[in-house]
Amino acid sequence: MAEGLRERKKRQTRQYLSDVATGLFLERGFDAVTIAEIARAADVSVNTVYNYFPTKEDLFLDRSQGVVDRLSRYVRGRDEGESAADAVLRELRVQVEGVSPAVGLMEGYERFMRVIEGADSLKARLWHIQQEVLRSLEDTLRKECGAGDRTASLVAGQLSWVHATLMAYIGGEMVAGRKAAEVSRDALVLLDDIEDLLGETVLNYARRAAE
């Protein structure tokens, strides 16, 4: 369905507010910037900012919903013969090998991570996002397998750990000043090591049968 004029303007305004806020956060740190200052810099009212972003953390982590659904999308889109773990590992390898900004392999990512490291509220929000990733994936696995046992929860926990471990590694290496292409190569090795640690139950869970 084509995007209407109203929806496009709302999306553009939301992106503009996030961009203005992120610029201020990168320059001065998260805790040092107020919503009122963001509103002034964007030439809008404080209420307008809150209409688009209920909290200040939402302004910085404005793409969290895409992260929450990421692993579930990979699982739902798995190919015939692929398990849930196969799909997650394949897609993560594609992102890493392609030096994708989606997994933090981009110039300037270290500045983004330093803002998070300097703000307890952002670190807490990241933890909540990780829990949302886990719940979303668990729900997807239950729906895909029609399972009511706890195996779906355990597999979701393992695959969420894979994602969180990869992202933590990339973030740490980028903050350390390494180039994205270098981190990409080592992250691929890390994914191989992670796969070796996963048990057969996880690796074979939710394997999609041929139609």
Side-chain angles (χ1 to χ4, degrees):
M1 184 180 296
E3 183 181 40
L5 178 61
R6 178 180 176 84
E7 288 73 23
R8 183 168 68 254
K9 286 185 175 180
K10 289 178 66 175
R11 175 177 57 78
Q12 290 172 341
T13 299
R14 178 182 173 83
Q15 187 61 57
Y16 172 67
L17 292 174
S18 175
D19 289 346
V20 170
T22 298
L24 292 172
F25 296 148
L26 292 173
E27 179 183 349
R28 296 168 48 198
F30 184 79
D31 292 333
V33 179
T34 68
I35 292 292
E37 289 173 317
I38 294 168
R40 284 197 298 272
D43 196 24
V44 299
S45 69
V46 168
N47 285 340
T48 296
V49 177
Y50 278 121
N51 284 341
Y52 285 90
F53 297 95
T55 71
K56 194 168 76 166
E57 289 75 20
D58 293 327
L59 278 157
F60 192 65
L61 300 172
D62 61 308
R63 299 181 181 179
S64 62
Q65 188 53 51
V67 174
V68 167
D69 193 48
R70 177 185 291 172
L71 300 187
S72 290
R73 291 197 310 272
Y74 296 165
V75 170
R76 290 193 297 267
R78 68 196 185 282
D79 297 330
E80 290 183 4
E82 275 194 324
S83 68
D86 290 338
V88 168
L89 288 165
R90 172 174 55 80
E91 290 289 350
L92 290 177
R93 285 190 175 102
V94 168
Q95 297 283 349
V96 171
E97 190 171 12
V99 195
S100 171
V103 289
L105 292 168
M106 57 181 284
E107 184 179 352
Y109 189 66
E110 71 281 358
R111 298 179 63 202
F112 178 86
M113 291 301 301
R114 287 192 182 103
V115 172
I116 293 175
E117 290 177 354
D120 288 341
S121 63
L122 287 177
K123 287 185 282 189
R125 175 58 64 86
L126 275 185
W127 183 86
H128 282 289
I129 290 172
Q130 290 171 352
Q131 298 309 300
E132 290 176 22
V133 170
L134 174 59
R135 287 191 293 269
S136 173
L137 182 56
E138 181 180 350
D139 183 61
T140 296
L141 289 174
R142 289 185 184 280
K143 289 177 179 176
E144 291 289 313
C145 298
D149 60 24
R150 64 180 180 180
T151 306
S153 298
L154 296 174
V155 172
Q158 290 289 291
L159 297 183
S160 297
W161 166 78
V162 171
H163 181 250
T165 300
L166 173 68
M167 295 303 295
Y169 174 78
I170 290 173
E173 294 300 296
M174 295 298 288
V175 168
R178 298 187 65 198
K179 298 294 184 182
E182 297 174 354
V183 177
S184 169
R185 290 192 292 271
D186 288 345
L188 287 173
V189 175
L190 174 66
L191 282 172
D192 289 342
D193 292 341
I194 287 173
E195 183 172 4
D196 288 341
L197 291 175
L198 297 177
E200 290 301 312
T201 298
V202 174
L203 290 172
N204 289 298
Y205 191 76
R207 191 169 296 282
R208 175 160 283 168
E211 297 183 359

